[in-house]
């Protein structure tokens, strides 16, 4: 069974530029999550989708971050404009009815 | 406020020695409890979880954890550490299996 796919694995941009990350969850998983993991910290939930609807985006900085999950499958997380403090690993995870989260390898963002 | 504390940022053990990683939580009720492991450049992998019932839970890779309600703790243990166990370990809590709150992690280093 294929795992959660994320791309790109690494991205370096300058502040005020934009960036987008893509995630393809495990086939059949209805729930998809984006987490932000800053160096030295644990992952923090940014947004949770159930199929193509948003369940929780209370910790998403909506002035600069946006996410969508068209057709209830893959998802895109966008940051525009990026700030230095957005440097982090962005983890995508998915889960089925069992609730167990399966994580992708992450996309590491460096903002200069 | 809900929180998870992992008091040890970095632990070093010799291969074959026993291991205990500490986790304390603050939550309104008995939460769902998890331990995840993250190898360098990888996503998080679930080691074990506790929902209810027997307070000693067994996980993958020879790990176990014990839920102690009186101490609000969920410590991870392994009787004999292998060099491949070197990684970062995260404790997490949640009201359900999703919307997890992660600790800041404990980095385990294993010496031969």
């Amino acid at each position: 069974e294929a795992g959660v796919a994320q791309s790109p694995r690494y991205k370096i941009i300058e502040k005020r530029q934009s960036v987008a990350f893509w995630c393809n969850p495990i086939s059949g998983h209805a729930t998809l999550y984006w987490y932000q993991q800053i160096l030295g910290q644990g992952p923090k939930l940014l947004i949770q989708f159930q199929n193509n609807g948003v369940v929780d985006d209370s910790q998403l900085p909506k002035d600069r971050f946006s996410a969508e999950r068209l057709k209830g499958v893959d998802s895109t997380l966008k940051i525009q404009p990026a700030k230095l403090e957005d440097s982090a690993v962005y983890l995508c995870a998915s889960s089925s009815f069992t609730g167990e989260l399966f994580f992708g390898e992450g996309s590491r963002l460096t903002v200069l | 406020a809900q929180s998870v504390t992992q008091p040890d940022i970095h632990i070093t053990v010799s291969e074959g020695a026993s291991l205990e990683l500490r986790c304390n939580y603050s939550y309104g009720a008995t939460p769902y409890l998890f331990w995840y492991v993250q190898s360098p450049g990888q996503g998080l992998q679930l080691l074990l979880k506790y929902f209810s019932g027997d307070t000693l839970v067994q996980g993958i890779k020879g790990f176990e954890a014990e839920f102690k309600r009186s101490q609000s703790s969920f410590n991870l243990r392994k009787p004999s550490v292998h060099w491949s166990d070197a990684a970062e370990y995260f404790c997490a809590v949640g009201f359900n299996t999703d919307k997890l709150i992660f600790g800041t992690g404990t980095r385990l280093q294993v010496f031969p």
Side-chain angles (χ1 to χ4, degrees), chain A residues 6-26:
Chain A
Q6 290 189 245
S7 67
R9 289 294 311 277
Y10 305 93
K11 189 74 175 179
I12 300 175
I13 62 173
E14 295 188 349
K15 59 183 180 184
R16 291 188 289 273
Q17 287 186 323
S18 64
V19 63
F21 302 111
W22 173 83
C23 172
N24 192 329
I26 294 173

Side-chain angles (χ1 to χ4, degrees), chain B:
Chain B
Q2 302 149 6
S3 65
V4 179
T5 301
Q6 293 182 247
D8 305 305
I9 296 173
H10 186 200
I11 285 183
T12 301
V13 300
S14 298
E15 191 169 19
S18 64
L19 172 70
E20 181 169 25
L21 303 182
R22 296 183 289 166
C23 173
N24 294 92
Y25 65 89
S26 173
Y27 210 82
T30 299
Y32 288 53
L33 296 159
F34 306 81
W35 275 99
Y36 284 85
V37 60
Q38 185 177 36
S39 298
Q42 302 296 312
L44 282 77
Q45 180 184 22
L46 180 66
L47 284 176
L48 48 78
K49 58 183 181 284
Y50 172 78
F51 293 166
S52 64
D54 192 348
T55 56
L56 184 64
V57 294
Q58 303 297 320
I60 62 171
K61 305 184 180 186
F63 285 92
E64 67 178 25
E66 185 172 13
F67 169 58
K68 293 185 177 180
R69 184 191 308 273
S70 62
Q71 298 177 19
S72 296
S73 69
F74 188 56
N75 294 349
L76 182 72
R77 300 194 295 250
K78 187 169 185 177
S80 178
V81 172
H82 188 263
W83 63 265
S84 60
D85 293 324
E88 185 134 24
Y89 292 80
F90 291 93
C91 180
V93 303
F95 180 71
N96 290 309
T97 55
D98 55 9
K99 297 182 183 176
L100 302 183
I101 300 171
F102 285 85
T104 52
T106 297
R107 180 168 299 278
L108 174 65
Q109 191 171 7
V110 181
F111 280 116

